[in-house]
Amino acid sequence: MKFEQKTVEILKSFTGVNPAMVFNPGNVLRVRTSTGTVVAKATIAESFEKQFAIEDVPQFLNMLSLVDDYDVDFAEDVIQVKGKGRKIKYNYTSLALVKEAKNIKIPGEPKVTFTLTQEDLNKSLKALGILSLDHLVVVGNEGKLLIRVEADKVGAQGNHHDIEIGETDQTFNAVFKAEYMRLYPGDYKVDIYVIGEQVVSSFIGPDVEYFIAVEAEKSTFE
């Protein structure tokens, strides 16, 4: 097996969620944070025949770059990489050491639905870095739908940066930790669900899907 470049880029992006992954039979990749607050899912061109775990996916990808025109064999006991005068054996990680990301289905209808473009997300993340902020907030207020970045730090509560992305007839603030918003490039259809005291969201893109917890105690919905 040789990974398509798109698959490599998706795997690199997923390491921002967690560097450790469980790979299952088939062509669907899933990864989750250790706390389960973010789950990412992608369908790739390649297909695996067995379940296995890799604890350090960045190291695994860097190892592949050592071999020109590589071929990967996910054998029973070890990963074997061969190509142009090189051969590498790479050990699997025990499945007991890596938390597996399960398939997620969110019940009910979303409270809020909108499209988040890569351009608007990139602008917000750039402002977040420049202004040393740490939360991204989806805001519905006075008919406008905004993406706001703001601080959760004493003495910096007034600092924020807004981008107007549409219209809404709802009033709400859905607060996300900025660290959760490093998404694979693309535009996303975003649905936000309020389920009892929990608030969860789905970001559905052409290549990758994310399920991201919303900071329920900081968020408000009228």
Side-chain angles (χ1 to χ4, degrees):
M1 177 188 293
K2 184 181 177 74
F3 292 118
E4 291 188 356
Q5 185 58 35
K6 186 174 183 178
T7 301
V8 173
E9 294 303 320
I10 289 173
L11 284 168
K12 286 180 179 178
S13 176
F14 278 14
T15 64
V17 178
N18 196 328
M21 285 181 60
V22 174
F23 295 75
N24 286 301
N27 65 338
V28 177
L29 298 176
R30 292 187 182 90
V31 64
R32 53 164 281 177
T33 56
S34 58
T35 57
T37 49
V38 179
V39 175
K41 171 186 173 184
T43 300
I44 59 173
E46 300 80 7
S47 185
F48 303 102
E49 296 183 356
K50 57 174 289 184
Q51 185 185 53
F52 61 91
I54 296 177
E55 186 176 26
D56 192 338
V57 174
Q59 182 187 67
F60 172 76
L61 295 175
N62 287 334
M63 178 267 296
L64 293 181
S65 70
L66 295 174
V67 182
D68 294 330
D69 196 23
Y70 68 80
D71 179 71
V72 183
D73 179 16
F74 294 96
E76 186 64 28
D77 299 319
V78 71
I79 302 172
Q80 299 180 358
V81 182
K82 300 177 182 178
K84 291 192 177 180
R86 288 201 183 194
K87 182 186 294 185
I88 302 173
K89 290 185 177 181
Y90 193 87
N91 291 325
Y92 294 115
T93 302
S94 170
L95 287 166
L97 298 178
V98 182
K99 291 184 178 181
E100 181 182 359
K102 302 293 186 180
N103 193 32
I104 292 180
K105 292 184 179 180
I106 305 175
E109 295 296 321
K111 183 80 170 176
V112 179
T113 298
F114 65 97
T115 297
L116 177 62
T117 67
Q118 181 180 343
E119 180 181 7
D120 287 337
L121 179 59
N122 287 346
K123 288 178 180 177
S124 296
L125 293 177
K126 183 176 181 180
L128 186 146
I130 291 173
L131 298 174
S132 298
L133 305 175
D134 50 18
H135 281 81
L136 185 145
V137 187
V138 182
V139 179
N141 187 42
E142 297 181 346
K144 296 180 179 180
L145 184 64
L146 309 171
I147 296 294
R148 172 174 295 167
V149 291
E150 63 183 21
D152 188 35
K153 300 173 183 176
V154 175
Q157 297 294 338
N159 296 340
H160 68 260
H161 171 279
D162 288 347
I163 296 177
E164 185 175 341
I165 63 170
E167 299 178 348
T168 181
D169 59 359
Q170 300 186 66
T171 301
F172 65 91
N173 288 270
V175 182
F176 296 85
K177 288 186 177 180
E179 63 195 75
Y180 297 165
M181 304 308 297
R182 309 294 178 176
L183 308 182
Y184 184 79
D187 296 345
Y188 288 87
K189 176 182 178 290
V190 183
D191 291 327
I192 300 175
Y193 299 78
V194 179
I195 306 169
E197 295 183 355
Q198 291 186 320
V199 187
V200 295
S201 66
S202 64
F203 289 67
I204 309 299
D207 300 304
V208 179
E209 300 176 13
Y210 292 87
F211 300 90
I212 303 175
V214 180
E215 299 288 281
E217 70 281 3
K218 296 182 175 67
S219 302
T220 58
F221 294 86
E222 295 182 8

